[in-house]
mmCIF file of all heavy atoms in Angstrom:
data_model
loop_
_atom_site.group_PDB
_atom_site.id
_atom_site.type_symbol
_atom_site.label_atom_id
_atom_site.label_comp_id
_atom_site.label_asym_id
_atom_site.label_seq_id
_atom_site.Cartn_x
_atom_site.Cartn_y
_atom_site.Cartn_z
ATOM 1 N N LEU A 570 19.475 54.899 130.822
ATOM 2 C CA LEU A 570 19.929 53.565 131.224
ATOM 3 C C LEU A 570 20.296 52.726 130.000
ATOM 4 O O LEU A 570 21.339 52.061 129.973
ATOM 5 C CB LEU A 570 18.842 52.858 132.034
ATOM 6 C CG LEU A 570 18.727 53.202 133.513
ATOM 7 C CD1 LEU A 570 17.495 52.513 134.112
ATOM 8 C CD2 LEU A 570 19.979 52.758 134.269
ATOM 9 N N CYS A 571 19.441 52.757 128.986
ATOM 10 C CA CYS A 571 19.705 51.991 127.763
ATOM 11 C C CYS A 571 21.019 52.425 127.122
ATOM 12 O O CYS A 571 21.837 51.589 126.717
ATOM 13 C CB CYS A 571 18.566 52.166 126.768
ATOM 14 S SG CYS A 571 17.052 51.256 127.175
ATOM 15 N N ALA A 572 21.215 53.733 126.998
ATOM 16 C CA ALA A 572 22.426 54.237 126.364
ATOM 17 C C ALA A 572 23.665 53.876 127.173
ATOM 18 O O ALA A 572 24.698 53.487 126.609
ATOM 19 C CB ALA A 572 22.334 55.751 126.185
ATOM 20 N N GLY A 573 23.557 53.994 128.497
ATOM 21 C CA GLY A 573 24.693 53.643 129.352
ATOM 22 C C GLY A 573 25.044 52.171 129.254
ATOM 23 O O GLY A 573 26.227 51.801 129.141
ATOM 24 N N TYR A 574 24.034 51.328 129.301
ATOM 25 C CA TYR A 574 24.273 49.890 129.169
ATOM 26 C C TYR A 574 24.826 49.551 127.790
ATOM 27 O O TYR A 574 25.709 48.699 127.645
ATOM 28 C CB TYR A 574 22.978 49.114 129.403
ATOM 29 C CG TYR A 574 22.512 49.047 130.834
ATOM 30 C CD1 TYR A 574 23.218 49.665 131.863
ATOM 31 C CD2 TYR A 574 21.339 48.373 131.178
ATOM 32 C CE1 TYR A 574 22.776 49.610 133.170
ATOM 33 C CE2 TYR A 574 20.890 48.301 132.488
ATOM 34 C CZ TYR A 574 21.612 48.930 133.477
ATOM 35 O OH TYR A 574 21.165 48.860 134.784
ATOM 36 N N ALA A 575 24.280 50.209 126.754
ATOM 37 C CA ALA A 575 24.740 49.940 125.389
ATOM 38 C C ALA A 575 26.216 50.280 125.224
ATOM 39 O O ALA A 575 26.943 49.604 124.477
ATOM 40 C CB ALA A 575 23.909 50.732 124.385
ATOM 41 N N ALA A 576 26.668 51.310 125.927
ATOM 42 C CA ALA A 576 28.070 51.726 125.821
ATOM 43 C C ALA A 576 29.030 50.625 126.258
ATOM 44 O O ALA A 576 30.163 50.542 125.763
ATOM 45 C CB ALA A 576 28.304 52.992 126.651
ATOM 46 N N VAL A 577 28.580 49.770 127.177
ATOM 47 C CA VAL A 577 29.476 48.713 127.669
ATOM 48 C C VAL A 577 29.092 47.325 127.166
ATOM 49 O O VAL A 577 29.884 46.388 127.257
ATOM 50 C CB VAL A 577 29.516 48.699 129.219
ATOM 51 C CG1 VAL A 577 30.114 49.997 129.745
ATOM 52 C CG2 VAL A 577 28.121 48.481 129.812
ATOM 53 N N ALA A 578 27.872 47.179 126.609
ATOM 54 C CA ALA A 578 27.393 45.850 126.235
ATOM 55 C C ALA A 578 27.326 45.607 124.731
ATOM 56 O O ALA A 578 27.301 44.454 124.293
ATOM 57 C CB ALA A 578 26.002 45.608 126.836
ATOM 58 N N MET A 579 27.284 46.654 123.932
ATOM 59 C CA MET A 579 27.151 46.470 122.486
ATOM 60 C C MET A 579 28.345 45.709 121.915
ATOM 61 O O MET A 579 29.496 45.954 122.301
ATOM 62 C CB MET A 579 27.029 47.821 121.777
ATOM 63 C CG MET A 579 25.608 48.292 121.556
ATOM 64 S SD MET A 579 25.601 49.790 120.504
ATOM 65 C CE MET A 579 23.873 49.808 120.017
ATOM 66 N N THR A 580 28.060 44.830 120.964
ATOM 67 C CA THR A 580 29.124 44.137 120.251
ATOM 68 C C THR A 580 29.738 45.098 119.230
ATOM 69 O O THR A 580 29.165 46.159 118.929
ATOM 70 C CB THR A 580 28.585 42.907 119.511
ATOM 71 O OG1 THR A 580 27.679 43.343 118.478
ATOM 72 C CG2 THR A 580 27.850 41.963 120.460
ATOM 73 N N ALA A 581 30.884 44.713 118.678
ATOM 74 C CA ALA A 581 31.530 45.545 117.662
ATOM 75 C C ALA A 581 30.619 45.726 116.459
ATOM 76 O O ALA A 581 30.536 46.819 115.882
ATOM 77 C CB ALA A 581 32.859 44.917 117.248
ATOM 78 N N ARG A 582 29.917 44.662 116.085
ATOM 79 C CA ARG A 582 28.997 44.745 114.948
ATOM 80 C C ARG A 582 27.849 45.714 115.252
ATOM 81 O O ARG A 582 27.444 46.511 114.398
ATOM 82 C CB ARG A 582 28.443 43.359 114.630
ATOM 83 C CG ARG A 582 27.345 43.320 113.573
ATOM 84 C CD ARG A 582 27.849 43.783 112.206
ATOM 85 N NE ARG A 582 26.801 43.764 111.207
ATOM 86 C CZ ARG A 582 26.486 42.702 110.482
ATOM 87 N NH1 ARG A 582 27.136 41.559 110.653
ATOM 88 N NH2 ARG A 582 25.534 42.768 109.583
ATOM 89 N N GLU A 583 27.303 45.652 116.449
ATOM 90 C CA GLU A 583 26.200 46.539 116.818
ATOM 91 C C GLU A 583 26.653 47.998 116.838
ATOM 92 O O GLU A 583 25.896 48.893 116.445
ATOM 93 C CB GLU A 583 25.641 46.142 118.185
ATOM 94 C CG GLU A 583 24.842 44.849 118.164
ATOM 95 C CD GLU A 583 24.461 44.372 119.548
ATOM 96 O OE1 GLU A 583 25.234 44.626 120.509
ATOM 97 O OE2 GLU A 583 23.398 43.743 119.675
ATOM 98 N N ARG A 584 27.873 48.236 117.290
ATOM 99 C CA ARG A 584 28.394 49.613 117.293
ATOM 100 C C ARG A 584 28.529 50.150 115.869
ATOM 101 O O ARG A 584 28.192 51.304 115.590
ATOM 102 C CB ARG A 584 29.737 49.666 118.031
ATOM 103 C CG ARG A 584 29.639 49.379 119.521
ATOM 104 C CD ARG A 584 31.026 49.257 120.164
ATOM 105 N NE ARG A 584 30.927 48.592 121.442
ATOM 106 C CZ ARG A 584 30.700 49.206 122.607
ATOM 107 N NH1 ARG A 584 30.573 50.519 122.635
ATOM 108 N NH2 ARG A 584 30.607 48.512 123.719
ATOM 109 N N ARG A 585 29.042 49.309 114.960
ATOM 110 C CA ARG A 585 29.161 49.728 113.561
ATOM 111 C C ARG A 585 27.793 50.002 112.955
ATOM 112 O O ARG A 585 27.597 50.994 112.237
ATOM 113 C CB ARG A 585 29.885 48.651 112.746
ATOM 114 C CG ARG A 585 31.381 48.542 113.008
ATOM 115 C CD ARG A 585 32.070 47.729 111.919
ATOM 116 N NE ARG A 585 31.518 46.387 111.800
ATOM 117 C CZ ARG A 585 31.967 45.338 112.480
ATOM 118 N NH1 ARG A 585 32.969 45.483 113.346
ATOM 119 N NH2 ARG A 585 31.434 44.138 112.306
ATOM 120 N N ASP A 586 26.839 49.117 113.256
ATOM 121 C CA ASP A 586 25.491 49.306 112.716
ATOM 122 C C ASP A 586 24.861 50.591 113.239
ATOM 123 O O ASP A 586 24.174 51.312 112.487
ATOM 124 C CB ASP A 586 24.607 48.106 113.075
ATOM 125 C CG ASP A 586 24.977 46.852 112.300
ATOM 126 O OD1 ASP A 586 25.734 46.967 111.317
ATOM 127 O OD2 ASP A 586 24.518 45.762 112.697
ATOM 128 N N LEU A 587 25.074 50.888 114.520
ATOM 129 C CA LEU A 587 24.512 52.113 115.099
ATOM 130 C C LEU A 587 25.135 53.339 114.444
ATOM 131 O O LEU A 587 24.428 54.297 114.092
ATOM 132 C CB LEU A 587 24.752 52.149 116.612
ATOM 133 C CG LEU A 587 24.244 53.409 117.330
ATOM 134 C CD1 LEU A 587 22.719 53.480 117.272
ATOM 135 C CD2 LEU A 587 24.720 53.429 118.785
ATOM 136 N N GLU A 588 26.451 53.301 114.267
ATOM 137 C CA GLU A 588 27.126 54.431 113.630
ATOM 138 C C GLU A 588 26.635 54.607 112.201
ATOM 139 O O GLU A 588 26.368 55.743 111.760
ATOM 140 C CB GLU A 588 28.640 54.221 113.649
ATOM 141 C CG GLU A 588 29.417 55.410 113.095
ATOM 142 C CD GLU A 588 30.916 55.245 113.207
ATOM 143 O OE1 GLU A 588 31.382 54.094 113.328
ATOM 144 O OE2 GLU A 588 31.619 56.272 113.176
ATOM 145 N N ASN A 589 26.496 53.513 111.456
ATOM 146 C CA ASN A 589 26.010 53.596 110.072
ATOM 147 C C ASN A 589 24.576 54.124 110.012
ATOM 148 O O ASN A 589 24.222 54.915 109.129
ATOM 149 C CB ASN A 589 26.087 52.222 109.406
ATOM 150 C CG ASN A 589 27.515 51.787 109.142
ATOM 151 O OD1 ASN A 589 28.422 52.611 109.049
ATOM 152 N ND2 ASN A 589 27.726 50.477 109.031
ATOM 153 N N LEU A 590 23.732 53.684 110.958
ATOM 154 C CA LEU A 590 22.351 54.161 111.008
ATOM 155 C C LEU A 590 22.324 55.660 111.274
ATOM 156 O O LEU A 590 21.563 56.408 110.635
ATOM 157 C CB LEU A 590 21.582 53.405 112.093
ATOM 158 C CG LEU A 590 20.133 53.823 112.335
ATOM 159 C CD1 LEU A 590 19.314 53.701 111.053
ATOM 160 C CD2 LEU A 590 19.516 52.966 113.433
ATOM 161 N N HIS A 591 23.160 56.089 112.203
ATOM 162 C CA HIS A 591 23.233 57.515 112.506
ATOM 163 C C HIS A 591 23.662 58.304 111.271
ATOM 164 O O HIS A 591 23.040 59.328 110.927
ATOM 165 C CB HIS A 591 24.214 57.740 113.659
ATOM 166 C CG HIS A 591 24.538 59.180 113.920
ATOM 167 N ND1 HIS A 591 23.584 60.126 114.215
ATOM 168 C CD2 HIS A 591 25.733 59.850 113.897
ATOM 169 C CE1 HIS A 591 24.150 61.309 114.392
ATOM 170 N NE2 HIS A 591 25.448 61.167 114.199
ATOM 171 N N ARG A 592 24.700 57.852 110.586
ATOM 172 C CA ARG A 592 25.186 58.561 109.399
ATOM 173 C C ARG A 592 24.125 58.601 108.300
ATOM 174 O O ARG A 592 24.045 59.581 107.538
ATOM 175 C CB ARG A 592 26.449 57.887 108.853
ATOM 176 C CG ARG A 592 27.623 57.855 109.812
ATOM 177 C CD ARG A 592 28.055 59.219 110.253
ATOM 178 N NE ARG A 592 29.081 59.143 111.296
ATOM 179 C CZ ARG A 592 29.293 60.067 112.199
ATOM 180 N NH1 ARG A 592 28.527 61.163 112.214
ATOM 181 N NH2 ARG A 592 30.241 59.919 113.109
ATOM 182 N N SER A 593 23.319 57.551 108.209
ATOM 183 C CA SER A 593 22.294 57.501 107.159
ATOM 184 C C SER A 593 21.195 58.534 107.380
ATOM 185 O O SER A 593 20.405 58.813 106.466
ATOM 186 C CB SER A 593 21.671 56.101 107.094
ATOM 187 O OG SER A 593 20.810 55.853 108.204
ATOM 188 N N MET A 594 21.131 59.109 108.576
ATOM 189 C CA MET A 594 20.099 60.102 108.860
ATOM 190 C C MET A 594 20.512 61.502 108.421
ATOM 191 O O MET A 594 19.665 62.403 108.349
ATOM 192 C CB MET A 594 19.766 60.095 110.362
ATOM 193 C CG MET A 594 19.141 58.787 110.830
ATOM 194 S SD MET A 594 18.894 58.687 112.622
ATOM 195 C CE MET A 594 17.557 59.868 112.853
ATOM 196 N N ALA A 595 21.791 61.710 108.114
ATOM 197 C CA ALA A 595 22.259 63.035 107.709
ATOM 198 C C ALA A 595 21.530 63.545 106.462
ATOM 199 O O ALA A 595 21.108 64.715 106.426
ATOM 200 C CB ALA A 595 23.772 63.020 107.495
ATOM 201 N N PRO A 596 21.361 62.720 105.406
ATOM 202 C CA PRO A 596 20.624 63.217 104.232
ATOM 203 C C PRO A 596 19.183 63.607 104.559
ATOM 204 O O PRO A 596 18.625 64.519 103.930
ATOM 205 C CB PRO A 596 20.664 62.028 103.261
ATOM 206 C CG PRO A 596 21.840 61.221 103.681
ATOM 207 C CD PRO A 596 21.904 61.364 105.167
ATOM 208 N N LEU A 597 18.573 62.941 105.540
ATOM 209 C CA LEU A 597 17.193 63.263 105.906
ATOM 210 C C LEU A 597 17.113 64.649 106.535
ATOM 211 O O LEU A 597 16.108 65.350 106.389
ATOM 212 C CB LEU A 597 16.646 62.209 106.876
ATOM 213 C CG LEU A 597 16.684 60.763 106.384
ATOM 214 C CD1 LEU A 597 16.092 59.832 107.433
ATOM 215 C CD2 LEU A 597 15.934 60.635 105.056
ATOM 216 N N VAL A 598 18.182 65.032 107.239
ATOM 217 C CA VAL A 598 18.232 66.380 107.807
ATOM 218 C C VAL A 598 18.285 67.406 106.684
ATOM 219 O O VAL A 598 17.576 68.415 106.700
ATOM 220 C CB VAL A 598 19.455 66.531 108.740
ATOM 221 C CG1 VAL A 598 19.563 67.976 109.237
ATOM 222 C CG2 VAL A 598 19.352 65.568 109.918
ATOM 223 N N ARG A 599 19.138 67.129 105.682
ATOM 224 C CA ARG A 599 19.268 68.070 104.556
ATOM 225 C C ARG A 599 17.978 68.172 103.763
ATOM 226 O O ARG A 599 17.621 69.245 103.270
ATOM 227 C CB ARG A 599 20.419 67.623 103.651
ATOM 228 C CG ARG A 599 21.800 67.763 104.292
ATOM 229 C CD ARG A 599 22.898 67.610 103.263
ATOM 230 N NE ARG A 599 22.968 66.258 102.713
ATOM 231 C CZ ARG A 599 23.695 65.273 103.243
ATOM 232 N NH1 ARG A 599 24.395 65.496 104.357
ATOM 233 N NH2 ARG A 599 23.726 64.086 102.673
#
């Protein structure tokens, strides 16, 4: 539900922040 709502409710800034947070986790995987 949260993810579905976020897909339509997130602001442009929140979407960028989420994408940046996701990308920042790649080094932790390595």
